[in-house]
Amino acid sequence: MSIRFRLIIMNFLEFFVWGSWLISLGAYMSNVLHFTGGQVGSIYGTMGIASIFTPALFGIVADRWLNAERVFGIAHIIGALLLLWASRVTDYPTLYMIMLLNSFMFMPTIGLNNTVSYIVLEKKGLNIVKDFPPIRVWGTIGFIAAMWMVDLCGFNLSPLQLYISAGAGLLLGVYAFTMPGCPPVKSAVKKSLASSLGLDAFVLFKRKKMIIFFLFAMLLGAALQITNTFGSSFLTDFSKSYPDAFGVKHSNVLISISQISETLFILTIPFFLRRFGIKQVMLMSIFAWVFRFALFAIGDPGSGLWLLILSMIVYGMAFDFFNISGSLFVEREADIRIRASAQGLFMLMTNGIGAFLGNYLSGLVVDHFTVNGEKDWQAIWFSFAGYALLLGIIFPLVFKYKHKETGELVVGH
């Protein structure tokens, strides 16, 4: 078996584990366990809390003491056992604690998956920049495959989705131990704890432009998980008015168009960054979020199905133009000595603090517009669209960045 194929399997399973429950668990918690919007949002918010702490800590373990592929495997095995436990729990406090512990295990594996891939490719003398993207795209395919499997098996509103994720996690955990060894690199100069935690990157806050960029990264990061948290629950609530609609019966399949769109928009990023620069591309992302939420507000699984499909397509621009382009901008602006730390800071602001605040506050918005158990989804989605619109108005006024078109990706001052 070629090393590329082995890495494809690893990347496929990594995101299959996540895709098995990330989109559909919210509907299960809302419609079957009858959790409030705040409770659902807080459970999804555990991923934000975990992103603040454990990726850096697990990274230190892999850098200093234990092979990266072993840390990766152990985390998946423990995470899988926690998901099996979660599948049998129906009360909020216990499920919250289990999913928090699972997030502590799973969120570091996203970075460790990349680390193991990079080290193995390098050991085999392959070009990381050239060979990793075609391998990584199988992660997105794995995510989509998991969504379809859960949907077509009828597990959208069942704890069995957690069994599928746990099974894949156990398989990946064991498989990780068969990967080529990725031992810690011995260095004559020992990194300080502050350096290992990525705190070196906070020097970027000395520049006003970067303060504004990271602030908006956090505010926009709050929007990233909202439709993952409540999208399936929103579509399932149409079961009374559109009981036989495809979007109700197969909500995961409909939402998977978002991930398919994401893979296509990634390919357009180099052109848009060269042509328009980071400020305009970020602005496109913000207004794509406005349309994403607004189309949810006015769409339905019946005659308005095309509006929901359009929202799924728009998601590709909303997510990629912010997440991928923002990462490239940080790579460009950071000193070469702190690039890794700078990427960690970007992830902290978006998937950590931003995602936590977004899930917590969006849950409060859902509860605010819920009367006698009935959610006013139109008001909920328009509220989120208004939030994104406000960001879109303020961002170009405060983020000063001049772009000139060249052959490079990001140029400006």
Side-chain angles (χ1 to χ4, degrees), residues 13-62:
L13 288 173
E14 168 68 20
F15 290 92
F16 187 98
V17 169
W18 210 13
S20 300
W21 64 264
L22 183 66
I23 305 300
S24 49
L25 188 65
Y28 166 68
M29 292 189 291
S30 295
N31 297 73
V32 179
L33 302 183
H34 304 293
F35 289 178
T36 66
Q39 290 173 332
V40 173
S42 66
I43 286 177
Y44 272 80
T46 59
M47 291 179 285
I49 296 173
S51 295
I52 296 171
F53 302 109
T54 52
L57 293 176
F58 279 47
I60 292 173
V61 173

Side-chain angles (χ1 to χ4, degrees), residues 224-258:
L224 291 181
Q225 294 294 344
I226 289 175
T227 45
N228 288 341
T229 306
F230 296 109
S232 185
S233 179
F234 158 65
L235 291 172
T236 305
D237 272 3
F238 281 106
S239 57
K240 294 177 183 176
S241 48
Y242 299 95
D244 298 319
F246 176 83
V248 174
K249 286 187 171 182
H250 301 288
S251 57
N252 264 21
V253 174
L254 178 59
I255 293 172
S256 72
I257 297 172
S258 299

Side-chain angles (χ1 to χ4, degrees), residues 161-272:
Q161 59 187 280
L162 297 175
Y163 277 85
I164 292 177
S165 181
L170 285 171
L171 177 61
L172 178 54
V174 174
Y175 179 74
F177 280 86
T178 71
M179 296 299 290
C182 306
V185 177
K186 293 180 180 178
S187 173
V189 181
K190 284 197 173 182
K191 284 173 122 181
S192 67
L193 182 61
S195 179
S196 297
L197 290 171
L199 301 182
D200 291 351
F202 280 92
V203 71
L204 292 170
F205 283 129
K206 290 182 178 179
R207 293 152 59 189
K208 181 181 176 183
K209 175 179 66 177
M210 296 308 292
I211 292 175
I212 294 170
F213 172 80
F214 280 118
L215 175 62
F216 274 88
M218 181 189 74
L219 294 172
L220 203 49
L224 291 181
Q225 294 294 344
I226 289 175
T227 45
N228 288 341
T229 306
F230 296 109
S232 185
S233 179
F234 158 65
L235 291 172
T236 305
D237 272 3
F238 281 106
S239 57
K240 294 177 183 176
S241 48
Y242 299 95
D244 298 319
F246 176 83
V248 174
K249 286 187 171 182
H250 301 288
S251 57
N252 264 21
V253 174
L254 178 59
I255 293 172
S256 72
I257 297 172
S258 299
Q259 278 67 44
I260 296 169
S261 170
E262 184 187 326
T263 63
L264 298 175
F265 269 101
I266 286 176
L267 303 176
T268 70
I269 287 174
F271 166 77
F272 277 94

Side-chain angles (χ1 to χ4, degrees), residues 357-373:
L357 291 175
N359 279 304
Y360 176 73
L361 296 175
S362 64
L364 297 182
V365 171
V366 170
D367 285 342
H368 178 75
F369 289 107
T370 301
V371 180
N372 297 323

